[in-house]
Amino acid sequence: MTMPAIEGVHTRPKSKALFDRIRTHVLEGHFPPGHWLKQAELEETYNATRSEVRAALSSLSERGMVEYVQNRGFRIFNRSQDEISQIVEMITILEAAAADGIIRNATPAQVAELTALANEFDGLIESGSHSELRLLNYRLHSKINQLCGNDLIARTIQNLRECCITGPFGRYTSYDGLKASSREHFAIIRLIEARDVSGLSDILRSHSSHAD
């Protein structure tokens, strides 16, 4: 199984903006698993040079979001269920372990910010697109994990989530599944506010087992 790099992204300045745009579109689900990212098409779509596209795709490959196939090019990872299960297992372990740091470091202002994101997610279930929900969910979990105080753990969780962002997430296929995920977001925030390390660890372990 190809694993993500845990260091930061290293791209040339001119390709950094392009990397961010393509990465966001991958996170939003614009490209299906297995989709070939043809460089000529990306050059036209993003108004970029061949070298900028190549650098951005190489960085995405280092992050485990796209796969480089020799003599063929780059494609969105189409991970097997076994690979996704292994990645989710790692996310589950790390997020549960981060609970103590999250409780220790969370300020009232940060709890308020998380609550605002959770409210936005809940509202988007009624009126938003699948892409908007995916991206907002990703932002919410990134904010939570950044509170743990260990940059390596937070960055590793972020990279792991990016690695399986194109996986088949059952909760996003139904209204009930999305509402269940939303309820758990609010429960996570309440436990952070209540400084309940054990309860937070348990719900993070349960919630992250869905990889959403």
Side-chain angles (χ1 to χ4, degrees):
M1 179 179 68
T2 302
M3 294 303 299
I6 59 176
E7 66 273 10
V9 178
H10 300 287
T11 60
R12 294 191 295 274
K14 289 184 178 180
S15 66
K16 179 61 169 65
L18 178 61
F19 166 85
D20 288 337
R21 291 178 66 192
I22 298 175
R23 172 178 168 273
T24 296
H25 287 161
V26 174
L27 293 176
E28 289 177 333
H30 288 287
F31 304 112
H35 177 82
W36 287 98
L37 297 167
K38 298 179 181 179
Q39 294 188 53
E41 292 180 0
L42 295 179
E43 289 170 35
E44 182 177 354
T45 299
Y46 295 101
N47 191 27
T49 66
R50 174 61 61 93
S51 63
E52 290 168 355
V53 168
R54 181 78 182 188
L57 291 176
S58 294
S59 292
L60 288 165
S61 178
E62 290 172 5
R63 292 287 283 264
M65 297 181 76
V66 306
E67 175 185 21
Y68 176 69
V69 181
Q70 190 170 7
N71 299 323
R72 296 199 63 185
F74 296 88
R75 65 182 176 186
I76 301 296
F77 254 113
N78 187 15
R79 297 188 182 278
S80 68
Q81 187 56 56
D82 283 345
E83 286 182 302
I84 292 174
S85 295
Q86 290 175 38
I87 293 171
V88 170
E89 182 179 6
M90 292 178 68
I91 294 171
T92 300
I93 293 169
L94 289 172
E95 289 198 337
D100 183 68
I102 292 169
I103 293 293
R104 185 169 58 251
N105 296 316
T107 66
Q110 289 166 328
V111 170
E113 183 181 7
L114 295 177
T115 302
L117 289 172
N119 281 323
E120 187 178 352
F121 181 92
D122 196 61
L124 281 176
I125 294 174
E126 305 291 343
S127 59
S129 68
H130 185 268
S131 296
E132 289 174 313
L133 283 162
R134 285 168 63 104
L135 193 58
L136 184 57
N137 182 74
Y138 184 83
R139 284 176 55 203
L140 174 60
H141 281 281
S142 292
K143 290 286 186 182
I144 292 171
N145 291 320
Q146 287 167 10
L147 296 176
C148 76
N150 185 315
D151 291 340
L152 183 59
I153 289 177
R155 195 160 63 245
T156 300
I157 295 171
Q158 175 179 321
N159 288 352
L160 288 168
R161 281 185 169 274
E162 289 183 357
C163 275
C164 63
I165 197 68
T166 55
F169 303 129
R171 280 192 165 186
Y172 278 81
T173 63
S174 71
Y175 176 85
D176 288 345
L178 286 166
K179 291 299 286 187
S181 186
S182 181
R183 286 193 297 271
E184 290 175 11
H185 289 160
F186 287 113
I188 288 168
I189 295 167
R190 285 195 299 271
L191 288 165
I192 294 173
E193 194 169 22
R195 307 292 178 182
D196 184 343
V197 174
S198 177
L200 179 62
S201 180
D202 287 344
I203 195 170
L204 285 174
R205 186 179 294 107
S206 173
H207 185 73
S208 60
S209 69
H210 298 287
D212 65 357

